Amino acid sequence: AQPKKAMSSAAVVVINDDIDDATARARQEEKKTSSSSAPTTISFVNLVALILAWWFFSVTLVMTNNSLMTTHNFEYPIILALLGPISTSASIEVVRALTFNNAIEDNNSIIGKKALESFFSPSSSSSYKTAALKALPTAACTALSFVLGQLEYRYLSVSAITMLKALMPIITLVISVGFSLETCSFKLAGSVAIIVAGTLLTSYGGEASFDLFGVILCFADMTSFALAVCFQQILLNGWTTTNALRAIAPLTALLLSLAMLIIDGPKGIVRAVYEMFAVGLHSFAGVCIFGTMTLWTSTAIVKHTSALWRMVLNQAKGLILIAASVIINHDIVTNVQMLGWIVCCAGIATYTMVKQQKQRHDVAMAPMVGKGSDSDSD
């Protein structure tokens, strides 16, 4: 009887040890999953450097495109928009081929050792299909926004479009709240409203002319772009910047190609390619480089901040350009525009304070939430 009793007690000990080991492994897997899905942190200095880089590359891209369209009379803006996503996709694949970047892996395993080893296998293509379906809303809204942005210039003046585009932060705030990306409060909405009011005053020139169909196109453009950035924020919640761009960039290029085929037709595409060779392919190298870097930095900003922050930073970039044009080019600014510049700066400062207060509140509440979950599990 005693040997049987000893054997049964030993079996119970073994079973308990197995349960403890299984529980420990489950907790480790849970920690890995939560840590992999948690948003990455970035230091303040690195974030400021990232924002400055985005401002530099985006402004340089606009100046390069403007030079090609005015100096060389290149009248195919969709081709210029295509070069950014195409060069971004190519750069990602070149980096993967040269470095065999096994360290970049996340839950989707788009980039990493497994995907690299079976890149041409059905399993890899099926995982990429899943990634493409997740990235399709972002790519579709991005392409739609660009096409509508080109059409609206046929019905509205530049000053009218600039004034209407001042409403972008409000549209983004509404969509972000609808997608539960932002928690709306009176302070947050008030700070965004101040930014919009200041931008409207800054862009006021007195000669804006409005057409109803053009206004509808402009609002559709702003809505689709705000949706694209919000979808991008949702996508980046579980993906790295590299993984997201590897899925978004080729889809955007494909949809823009289809849009150009519908708008310009095959003959238009042939003429555009012919004009590229006539101007010189080296002239488009800057568009590829600055387009790629603009996509990388803007996506990284959404990754480390939010869609609404990106829109606010875009307004701040406009203020810096106005100040630079006054200092460097000695441009004349009216009193109304100067007042708008001051109001917009005050709105951005207020928005930053509101976000910092919310961040401190969330940090203070985090231990209490953790204790509550622990007590529930107990």
Side-chain angles (χ1 to χ4, degrees):
Q2 289 181 353
K4 290 183 180 181
K5 190 174 182 180
M7 291 176 61
S8 61
S9 61
V12 171
V13 170
V14 170
I15 293 174
N16 289 335
D17 290 340
D18 292 339
I19 294 175
D20 292 339
D21 292 341
T23 305
R25 286 194 297 269
R27 288 179 179 177
Q28 288 178 357
E29 292 295 330
E30 185 179 354
K31 287 181 180 180
K32 288 181 181 179
T33 305
S34 61
S35 63
S36 63
S37 61
T40 58
T41 58
I42 185 172
S43 66
F44 177 76
V45 176
N46 291 336
L47 181 59
V48 171
L50 182 63
I51 293 170
L52 292 177
W54 172 52
W55 284 347
F56 171 76
F57 290 123
S58 60
V59 171
T60 309
L61 176 63
V62 172
M63 294 173 62
T64 305
N65 289 342
N66 185 62
S67 175
L68 286 170
M69 297 179 71
T70 55
T71 305
H72 299 282
N73 295 322
F74 188 79
E75 299 178 352
Y76 298 93
I78 297 183
I79 287 286
L80 298 178
L82 269 171
L83 295 177
I86 290 175
S87 58
T88 300
S89 301
S91 64
I92 292 175
E93 299 306 326
V94 168
V95 169
R96 291 177 66 245
L98 293 178
T99 62
F100 293 90
N101 198 352
N102 300 333
I104 305 178
E105 290 191 26
D106 64 358
N107 296 334
N108 302 283
S109 188
I110 301 173
I111 295 180
K113 186 175 180 180
K114 293 180 180 178
L116 198 63
E117 291 175 348
S118 57
F119 188 66
F120 297 102
S121 66
S123 60
S124 176
S125 61
S126 63
S127 64
Y128 191 81
K129 283 181 181 179
T130 304
L133 289 175
K134 290 181 180 180
L136 183 60
T138 305
C141 290
T142 302
L144 178 62
S145 172
F146 183 83
V147 173
L148 293 175
Q150 297 304 312
L151 294 176
E152 66 195 26
Y153 280 97
R154 300 180 182 179
Y155 302 93
L156 297 174
S157 62
V158 175
S159 58
I161 292 174
T162 305
M163 292 180 67
L164 290 173
K165 289 291 181 71
L167 301 174
M168 277 296 301
I170 287 184
I171 296 175
T172 308
L173 174 61
V174 172
I175 295 175
S176 298
V177 172
F179 287 164
S180 299
L181 300 175
E182 296 283 348
T183 302
C184 189
S185 64
F186 178 77
K187 292 181 179 180
L188 181 62
S191 62
V192 172
I194 294 173
I195 295 173
V196 170
T199 308
L200 285 172
L201 292 174
T202 304
S203 59
Y204 176 73
E207 75 282 357
S209 58
F210 294 91
D211 178 85
L212 179 59
F213 185 68
V215 171
I216 294 174
L217 284 177
C218 191
F219 270 95
D221 169 25
M222 291 187 291
T223 303
S224 59
F225 185 70
L227 281 170
V229 180
C230 290
F231 283 138
Q232 192 179 65
Q233 181 181 347
I234 296 172
L235 200 66
L236 289 166
N237 188 34
W239 288 6
T240 63
T241 303
T242 305
N243 290 348
L245 281 176
R246 186 172 181 242
I248 295 172
L251 285 173
T252 304
L254 176 62
L255 293 174
L256 284 174
S257 301
L258 293 176
M260 185 175 181
L261 183 63
I262 294 172
I263 295 173
D264 297 327
K267 293 183 179 179
I269 296 177
V270 173
R271 285 196 301 268
V273 174
Y274 174 78
E275 287 195 19
M276 288 181 68
F277 280 96
V279 172
L281 294 179
H282 63 277
S283 301
F284 296 89
V287 180
C288 295
I289 295 172
F290 297 127
T292 298
M293 297 309 300
T294 300
L295 282 175
W296 276 89
T297 51
S298 62
T299 305
I301 285 174
V302 176
K303 169 72 175 177
H304 296 294
T305 57
S306 67
L308 185 58
W309 255 118
R310 186 198 181 281
M311 296 303 179
V312 172
L313 290 171
N314 193 55
Q315 304 291 346
K317 180 184 68 175
L319 297 182
I320 294 174
L321 289 177
I322 292 174
S325 64
V326 172
I327 296 172
I328 299 173
N329 300 328
H330 304 287
D331 291 347
I332 298 175
V333 179
T334 64
N335 293 331
V336 175
Q337 290 174 329
M338 182 59 68
L339 176 62
W341 195 88
I342 297 172
V343 171
C344 197
C345 287
I348 293 173
T350 305
Y351 176 85
T352 304
M353 292 173 58
V354 170
K355 281 293 186 178
Q356 287 178 344
Q357 289 177 358
K358 184 179 184 302
Q359 185 178 11
R360 287 194 294 266
H361 178 266
D362 292 342
V363 171
M365 293 296 293
M368 299 178 63
V369 174
K371 289 180 180 179
S373 61
D374 292 341
S375 62
D376 293 340
S377 62
D378 293 340

